[in-house]
Amino acid sequence: MRTRKGFLLAMGCSVAITGAASGKVQHLGRPCRSMNVLAGITVKDPKTGSERLALTNMNENTRCELLFIDFHRNAGTAYRAPAGDGSWALNEVPGRRLVVGTYYDGRFMVFDLEKMAFTREIAFPGEGYIWNQALGKDGRLYGGTYPGGKLGALDLTTYAVEDLGNAAPPNLYLRHVSALPDGRILCHYITDRETTLVFDPDTKKFTPAPGPLGSVAQGVTWNGCFVAERQAFDRDLKPLNPLPFPTPPGKSAWAVSLNLTSAGTLYLQQGSSLYRFRPGEKALTLVADINLNGGEFLAAASDGSVLVLRGQDYAVVRPGDKTLRLKRIPVEAAPRPTHFLRMGPKGRLWGGPTFGQTVFWLDPTTRKYANTGAVSNHGGEVFDAAFVGASAYLVSYAGGEIIRYDTDRPWDQFGHRNPRTIATVAPGYIRPSGGVRLGPDGKLYSGWMARYGTYGGALGITDPASGKTVVVENPLGEQTVCGVAADVSHIYLGTSRDANGLRVKPGESARFGALDLQTHAVTYRREFPGAQSIRALAVDPAAKRLAMLVDGRVTVFDTEKQELVEGLPGAPPASSLDGVAPGDGSYYYGSGKDVMSLDLLSGRATVISALPEAVDHLEVSPSGAVYVSCGVDVYCARAAEEKR
């Protein structure tokens, strides 16, 4: 058996490690509980005929869930899939079955509505996402994938999957597939070169979408024609002018509601107004004029009502309703891994899930916790938080937002009062891959990844009082900013070759640099040959040293001399997603199941605790307590009184 020291030497590490500090690891709970619902349809119970809302919910720990909501009684049940973390794709198919297309493992999951159970799990080899699905004229269910950008066909009798390849390389995403009136499949590819093609199941050939259809991403078949956005096409895919339906009054923009429209009923949305139209009718019927405030019309019920989803809540909107009556989804959220871990006011730990746009707090003393509703109207997740007094400043994907949440004030996100977005770096930058840090000058420093289909990154500098934000674009070149730290004179950045919707950037290496705090001019720049990312930057102003992870290798920078520190003993490689320098001369990070403390002056690494699972995130309180998240679990790895 290879020892830990042998493993580290094999990794090329010169090891100087002292033994673990004594002290009991305390389990504080599983506080991160949130839903991330991405698809929904109405289905009928085969036995009773009553209608239910079926939702797909993300959970990385317990697996993807199907939630069935009796929206008449506000009651629900969860059915956990044998695979998949979540799903954008949900279709009812013949045989009283549902098919769920999953991520991050690219599975078609078959759910039997008679048995109320998952009965099949079919992999699409090599693919991570099945984005959405459409039924073709050959009776097979078609799905588009990532990262191969492929079209796949699921035979609903044999459950065999045919890989039909990527017809529009180098695109990584076949993001939308739609069933055309004649049973062919419209395929929309992104993000390298946006392309729309038509697939014929008879010939198994792809052809360019004709004329105006070439600019359509997604649509639905209604009354024998194909409708999308503000357009309609006949069975031969020729534009219909005039449109085969009346349009909403006035000049305000409107669009076909793809979620609600079916073969027999058309829904049009114009701002807060929703209209319905059926063949043979002479005019539109106003279903509701109602402010959704970031919610979406998700599904239509047979009684004429429509179902709305808004974050952790849903609502039933009946004809004539003027007010949105939100209810929490009536299924208990299972524990989820936390995406970040930060110490906030009142000694509470804060974090949030991957996707879901919620945050939680945990009191380490009482072990009580609470989860919020969605902090943003945009889909995505909170990547990080920094605190000024009782206010939490959250950085969020996908709207490129800086959000202020005054934790002592009443919650009113629906009214955009608390929390509320105070700044945004979108549309150019959308993912806060570098997190956010409060600088010694009282400003917030955040690191960002460019929008989909673009290489690059940015540094955001925000005044927390006014929200005024300066965006420094591509400070170290066209690479993602994935690590940020600051001291009294400089801002320090680490970059990554990763990008939204693109392959890892070729021909370059990750970079580290220092910018003058006042002028934002680059004063130091270093490229690490072959490196993909430099992250988890943390600066200790007393030691005048900064630590960072260069592809998991702990590297130290002298902030006074503005040079890399050479000759320190090698530290064990990091597996955690971040590192912390609380000001005691040490850098804390995770290496496998161990919490490490690296002395920034001597380079001596100490194992301070061993956890039951691999360390994901960690935080150190002002009193010296070390807190760790491992999957869904949060621990105290070292109590405050043990600080040395």
Side-chain angles (χ1 to χ4, degrees):
M1 180 182 293
R2 180 180 287 180
T3 64
R4 165 166 284 277
K5 183 174 181 181
F7 166 75
L8 295 170
L9 290 173
M11 292 291 290
C13 302
S14 172
V15 182
I17 308 175
T18 59
S22 62
K24 184 179 179 181
V25 172
Q26 296 177 306
H27 184 248
L28 301 180
R30 295 177 167 182
C32 186
R33 295 171 184 262
S34 172
M35 292 187 178
N36 186 44
V37 173
L38 297 172
I41 58 174
T42 52
V43 298
K44 288 189 176 181
D45 186 313
K47 297 177 182 177
T48 67
S50 62
E51 207 164 20
R52 302 287 186 268
L53 176 63
L55 304 172
T56 60
N57 179 47
M58 177 182 187
N59 194 292
E60 311 90 323
N61 181 56
T62 58
R63 302 275 65 88
C64 173
E65 296 176 326
L66 257 180
L67 311 180
F68 287 88
I69 312 300
D70 181 340
F71 51 88
H72 301 291
R73 298 190 303 111
N74 190 35
T77 307
Y79 295 85
R80 290 170 179 162
D85 283 17
S87 171
W88 290 88
L90 176 62
N91 295 71
E92 185 170 8
V93 299
R96 293 180 175 179
R97 295 170 292 175
L98 300 179
V99 178
V100 177
T102 69
Y103 65 83
Y104 299 102
D105 57 0
R107 295 307 202 258
F108 293 101
M109 310 293 300
V110 180
F111 186 87
D112 189 311
L113 288 168
E114 295 275 6
K115 299 177 180 178
M116 293 301 289
F118 283 95
T119 57
R120 291 278 184 166
E121 172 191 345
I122 309 105
F124 193 140
E127 296 306 302
Y129 284 61
I130 296 171
W131 283 113
N132 79 315
Q133 301 166 152
L135 199 62
K137 62 182 177 181
D138 58 352
R140 297 193 296 177
L141 189 69
Y142 288 83
T145 75
Y146 166 87
K150 294 179 176 182
L151 182 66
L154 173 66
D155 188 307
L156 295 172
T157 301
T158 66
Y159 295 119
V161 175
E162 183 177 4
D163 183 343
L164 296 160
N166 183 344
N171 290 301
L172 303 179
Y173 295 72
L174 174 44
R175 184 61 183 86
H176 296 294
V177 294
S178 307
L180 295 169
D182 64 358
R184 290 182 293 169
I185 304 296
L186 188 74
C187 302
H188 182 69
Y189 299 82
I190 56 175
T191 57
D192 277 271
R193 290 195 293 270
E194 189 172 359
T195 305
T196 303
L197 302 175
V198 174
F199 176 79
D200 189 333
D202 290 340
T203 64
K204 295 187 179 181
K205 291 183 178 179
F206 294 85
T207 56
L213 192 64
S215 63
V216 171
Q218 189 178 17
V220 62
T221 294
W222 166 78
N223 194 31
C225 63
F226 189 71
V227 292
E229 301 166 356
R230 301 178 64 175
Q231 303 177 77
F233 302 85
D234 66 14
R235 191 175 181 84
D236 297 322
L237 305 184
K238 295 178 181 178
L240 290 170
N241 190 11
L243 293 169
F245 51 82
T247 60
K251 296 182 179 180
S252 298
W254 58 269
V256 173
S257 173
L258 301 182
N259 287 343
L260 306 184
T261 297
S262 63
T265 306
L266 175 73
Y267 285 89
L268 306 176
Q269 188 171 353
Q270 182 185 48
S272 60
S273 299
L274 181 69
Y275 297 90
R276 184 183 65 227
F277 181 75
R278 296 188 178 103
E281 296 177 343
K282 295 181 179 180
L284 297 175
T285 298
L286 178 64
V287 177
D289 186 358
I290 194 164
N291 183 8
L292 301 184
N293 257 349
E296 67 170 330
F297 291 114
L298 187 66
S302 59
D303 65 0
S305 61
V306 293
L307 287 305
V308 169
L309 177 71
R310 190 177 189 273
Q312 307 298 295
D313 305 315
Y314 83 105
V316 182
V317 175
R318 295 178 173 84
D321 280 355
K322 299 289 185 181
T323 304
L324 194 64
R325 299 179 181 88
L326 291 169
K327 302 175 184 178
R328 188 56 57 100
I329 294 171
V331 178
E332 183 180 2
R336 296 181 60 193
T338 185
H339 199 52
F340 67 96
L341 196 65
R342 292 284 177 253
M343 180 61 62
K346 300 180 182 180
R348 291 172 170 174
L349 286 168
W350 288 77
T354 301
F355 299 116
Q357 289 291 26
T358 65
V359 292
F360 72 84
W361 60 258
L362 166 69
D363 186 322
T365 303
T366 65
R367 303 187 187 184
K368 292 182 179 179
Y369 62 85
N371 288 264
T372 71
V375 302
S376 169
N377 287 348
H378 289 92
E381 70 227 296
V382 176
F383 265 64
D384 202 0
F387 296 87
V388 180
S391 295
Y393 290 85
L394 315 171
V395 287
S396 177
Y397 165 84
E401 297 168 282
I402 299 98
I403 300 166
R404 180 167 59 220
Y405 172 33
D406 296 324
T407 62
D408 286 342
R409 292 180 55 213
W411 178 273
D412 185 12
Q413 196 277 330
F414 189 89
H416 300 294
R417 294 182 179 89
N418 186 43
R420 72 181 185 90
T421 299
I422 63 169
T424 178
V425 296
Y429 304 92
I430 61 171
R431 191 185 297 269
S433 46
V436 61
R437 297 290 183 271
L438 179 65
D441 58 355
K443 293 182 179 179
L444 300 167
Y445 294 89
S446 52
W448 299 86
M449 180 185 287
R451 65 183 182 273
Y452 277 88
T454 303
Y455 290 110
L459 166 69
I461 307 172
T462 302
D463 181 327
S466 67
K468 182 180 178 181
T469 297
V470 174
V471 178
V472 183
E473 299 187 76
N474 297 316
L476 299 178
E478 291 184 346
Q479 293 187 3
T480 291
V481 176
C482 66
V484 179
D487 61 17
V488 295
S489 59
H490 289 88
I491 310 159
Y492 302 96
L493 304 178
T495 71
S496 165
R497 296 188 291 125
D498 295 322
N500 276 314
L502 297 173
R503 293 172 173 81
V504 172
K505 193 174 187 181
E508 294 186 2
S509 298
R511 297 160 186 158
F512 167 75
L515 279 64
D516 183 273
L517 191 73
Q518 301 301 322
T519 67
H520 310 153
V522 177
T523 59
Y524 179 92
R525 186 177 187 273
R526 171 73 176 262
E527 190 165 283
F528 288 78
Q532 183 168 328
S533 68
I534 299 173
R535 57 182 173 81
L537 277 64
V539 63
D540 186 317
K544 293 182 171 56
R545 291 197 169 180
L546 172 146
M548 55 189 157
L549 302 180
V550 181
D551 285 349
R553 303 187 308 275
V554 182
T555 304
V556 178
F557 180 79
D558 189 313
T559 60
E560 187 173 41
K561 296 179 180 178
Q562 292 284 290
E563 62 183 23
L564 291 177
V565 178
E566 306 289 351
L568 290 178
S575 58
S576 63
L577 300 173
D578 50 19
V580 181
D584 63 359
S586 298
Y587 178 71
Y588 295 83
Y589 67 97
S591 180
K593 296 181 181 181
D594 293 333
V595 177
M596 308 299 305
S597 173
L598 175 73
D599 187 302
L600 290 170
L601 294 176
S602 70
R604 183 179 297 109
T606 302
V607 179
I608 66 168
S609 289
L611 278 295
E613 305 169 76
V615 175
D616 293 328
H617 300 278
L618 68 165
E619 177 65 300
V620 181
S621 74
S623 59
V626 179
Y627 299 104
V628 175
S629 69
C630 304
V632 299
D633 296 287
V634 176
Y635 299 90
C636 178
R638 186 182 71 182
E641 62 267 24
E642 294 177 3
K643 182 178 178 182
R644 287 176 170 81

